[in-house]
C-alpha cells in the first residue's frame, strides 16, 4: 500500500480508503489510485488484515476424513454453498482418519486465523480445541460427535439407518446376514454395527461374530472381506455394507457371480442405479449435512446466543435390486 501511495502521490490513508471502499476520497483521486493498483498488480492481503484485533479473515476451516471419498466431496460442497452466501472462503484439509493429523490441521487453520471450524473428527479427545473456543472461535463437529468437549454437532441417524437396511434384508427371507464395516474405533461404525445387531435381535436371531468383518477402510479391503465371507462353510446369503466404499468393493467381488448374495449399502453413491443389479442403499444427502454444519457456524459467527445444538438427519431406504435378491 505504501508503494501504491507513492506512485499515486497520495497518502497511505487515502489508499486504505480506496481499497476498503470507504467514503472521503474525491472520485478523480480514487480513479488514479485504482489505475496504479491495476498497473502494479496490488492485491489486498486479507490474512494480514485478519491479524488486527477483532478483524475477520472471512474464512471457514474444514477438516474432513478423505478428500478422495465422494461422501466428503459432497459435504465440502454443502459447506461452500453456505459460506459463499456470506462471502466466506473455505480452507479444507484431510485428516486421513489420523487423530494426530487432525490436530495438526486444526492448528494450522487456527494459525491462519480462520473465523470458525467445521471438523469431521478422527480422534476422540478434542480438549486441544478448548483454548481456541475460549478465545471465541466457534467449532461445529460433523458426522461424528466431539470427544471430551461440548460443542455443536450434526450427525446422520446411523443407528436407525443400519437397522432399516438390515431389516430390509430380513424381510427378504435372509437369516445369514454378514456385516462389513470400517474401523471399529469410528463412531459411525459403532452405531451402524449396533443397528445391525438390534435388527437381528428383533427377529430372534443371535448375531454371529463370525459374519462381522471390521477394518475395511477401502474398496480393496472390502473385496477381500467378501471373498473371505463367501469362503465360509456356512456362507452368508446377504451382506450389509456399512459405507459407500465397502459397497463398491462388495459389488466388485460379487461381479460375474450368480446373483445369490443380496447387498444393502449405507451411503448412496454415483452410478449406483446404473449397475447390472442396481444397488439398494440407505441414503441421505451429505451435501445437506454440510449445509447444516455451515449454517450453525454462520449463526455462531453472527453472535446468535443459543443452546448447544445436536442435529440428527434422517435416512431413507432406496430399493433398486441388489437388496431384493432372495436366498
Amino acid at each position: 500500500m505504501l508503494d501504491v501511495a507513492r506512485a499515486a502521490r497520495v497518502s497511505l490513508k487515502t489508499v486504505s480508503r480506496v481499497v476498503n471502499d470507504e467514503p472521503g476520497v474525491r472520485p478523480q483521486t480514487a480513479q488514479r489510485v485504482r489505475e496504479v493498483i491495476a498497473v502494479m498488480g496490488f492485491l489486498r492481503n486479507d490474512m494480514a488484515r485478519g491479524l488486527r484485533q477483532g478483524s475477520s479473515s472471512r474464512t471457514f476451516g474444514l477438516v474432513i476424513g478423505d478428500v478422495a471419498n465422494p461422501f466428503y466431496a459432497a459435504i465440502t460442497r454443502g459447506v461452500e454453498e453456505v459460506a459463499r452466501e456470506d462471502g466466506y472462503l473455505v480452507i479444507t484439509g484431510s485428516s486421513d482418519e489420523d487423530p494426530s493429523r487432525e490436530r495438526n490441521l486444526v492448528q494450522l487453520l487456527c494459525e491462519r486465523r480462520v473465523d470458525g471450524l467445521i471438523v469431521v473428527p478422527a480422534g476422540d479427545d478434542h480438549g486441544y480445541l478448548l483454548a481456541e473456543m475460549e478465545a471465541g472461535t466457534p467449532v461445529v463437529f460433523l458426522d461424528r460427535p466431539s470427544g471430551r468437549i461440548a460443542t455443536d454437532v450434526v450427525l446422520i441417524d446411523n443407528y436407525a439407518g443400519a437397522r432399516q437396511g438390515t431389516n430390509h434384508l430380513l424381510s427378504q427371507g435372509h437369516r445369514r446376514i454378514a456385516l462389513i464395516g470400517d474401523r471399529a474405533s469410528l463412531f459411525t461404525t459403532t452405531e451402524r454395527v449396533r443397528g445391525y445387531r438390534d435388527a437381528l435381535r428383533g427377529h430372534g436371531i443371535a448375531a454371529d461374530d463370525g459374519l462381522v468383518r471390521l477394518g475395511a477402510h477401502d474398496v480393496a479391503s472390502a473385496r477381500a472381506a467378501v471373498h473371505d465371507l463367501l469362503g465360509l462353510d456356512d456362507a452368508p446369503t446377504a451382506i450389509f455394507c456399512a459405507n459407500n466404499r465397502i459397497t463398491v468393493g462388495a459389488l466388485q467381488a460379487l461381479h460375474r457371480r450368480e446373483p445369490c448374495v443380496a447387498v444393502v449399502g449405507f451411503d448412496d453413491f454415483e452410478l449406483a442405479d446404473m449397475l447390472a443389479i442396481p444397488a439398494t442403499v440407505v441414503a441421505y444427502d451429505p451435501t445437506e449435512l454440510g449445509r447444516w454444519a455451515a449454517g450453525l457456524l454462520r449463526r455462531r459467527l453472527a453472535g446468535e446466543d443459543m443452546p448447544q445444538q445436536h442435529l440428527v438427519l434422517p435416512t431413507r431406504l432406496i430399493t433398486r435390486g441388489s437388496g431384493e435378491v432372495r436366498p
Side-chain angles (χ1 to χ4, degrees):
M1 289 176 69
L2 281 168
D3 292 337
V4 171
R6 293 190 189 101
R9 302 185 305 281
V10 297
S11 68
L12 181 62
K13 182 61 177 176
T14 297
V15 176
S16 177
R17 285 174 173 164
V18 172
V19 168
N20 292 290
D21 293 321
E22 296 175 0
V25 182
R26 294 172 54 195
Q28 299 91 328
T29 303
Q31 180 60 30
R32 188 167 75 251
V33 171
R34 292 191 187 98
E35 289 173 355
V36 171
I37 285 172
V39 169
M40 297 183 68
F42 169 80
L43 291 173
R44 184 175 63 187
N45 189 328
D46 282 326
M47 189 171 291
R49 293 176 71 244
L51 294 175
R52 297 194 316 232
Q53 188 68 27
S55 295
S56 169
S57 65
R58 309 300 294 177
T59 55
F60 288 176
L62 173 62
V63 177
I64 58 176
D66 180 2
V67 72
N69 190 330
F71 167 73
Y72 291 116
I75 282 178
T76 302
R77 180 186 178 95
V79 172
E80 287 182 341
E81 286 177 0
V82 173
R84 190 162 52 239
E85 291 172 2
D86 288 344
Y88 280 83
L89 175 70
V90 180
I91 304 175
T92 307
S94 299
S95 69
D96 294 324
E97 305 295 359
D98 180 347
S100 61
R101 172 70 177 154
E102 171 206 306
R103 183 168 183 164
N104 184 52
L105 277 171
V106 168
Q107 180 180 343
L108 290 172
L109 289 167
C110 289
E111 287 175 0
R112 283 155 178 76
R113 305 295 291 267
V114 294
D115 292 318
L117 288 165
I118 298 174
V119 180
V120 178
D124 57 4
D125 184 355
H126 298 93
Y128 68 87
L129 276 168
L130 285 173
E132 284 295 331
M133 293 171 66
E134 289 169 0
T137 303
V139 180
V140 177
F141 278 77
L142 181 60
D143 190 44
R144 306 162 193 164
S146 58
R148 304 185 186 182
I149 61 171
T151 188
D152 296 327
V153 61
V154 183
L155 305 174
I156 304 158
D157 199 340
N158 297 283
Y159 170 80
R163 187 165 185 170
Q164 183 181 30
T166 307
N167 276 330
H168 181 68
L169 291 169
L170 289 162
S171 73
Q172 303 302 307
H174 296 279
R175 294 299 178 265
R176 294 281 293 169
I177 302 174
L179 177 142
I180 305 175
D182 204 332
R183 295 168 183 163
S185 59
L186 296 178
F187 168 81
T188 48
T189 301
T190 300
E191 287 296 287
R192 293 172 192 182
V193 170
R194 188 167 69 90
Y196 157 82
R197 291 183 180 277
D198 282 358
L200 294 175
R201 188 178 299 113
H203 283 73
I205 301 172
D208 182 351
D209 289 340
L211 294 180
V212 176
R213 298 289 186 275
L214 300 182
H217 187 56
D218 52 28
V219 171
S221 55
R223 283 198 305 267
V226 171
H227 290 308
D228 183 42
L229 287 165
L230 295 182
L232 296 175
D233 291 336
D234 190 5
T237 62
I239 302 173
F240 179 71
C241 300
N243 68 36
N244 56 353
R245 287 183 158 185
I246 293 171
T247 306
V248 171
L251 293 173
Q252 287 181 357
L254 296 169
H255 183 55
R256 299 185 186 282
R257 288 176 175 263
E258 289 297 321
C260 57
V261 179
V263 174
V264 171
F266 202 115
D267 304 330
D268 204 358
F269 57 94
E270 192 173 359
L271 302 181
D273 57 345
M274 301 292 289
L275 302 172
I277 301 179
T280 293
V281 296
V282 175
Y284 54 91
D285 185 355
T287 303
E288 194 66 17
L289 199 66
R291 290 192 194 104
W292 274 102
L296 283 177
L297 189 61
R298 179 167 63 180
R299 291 168 66 184
R300 293 295 183 191
L301 288 170
E304 188 170 338
D305 186 16
M306 57 184 176
Q308 178 187 332
Q309 299 295 295
H310 186 96
L311 306 180
V312 180
L313 305 189
T315 61
R316 69 187 189 281
L317 183 71
I318 301 177
T319 57
R320 296 191 178 115
S322 70
E324 291 67 62
V325 176
R326 300 186 68 82

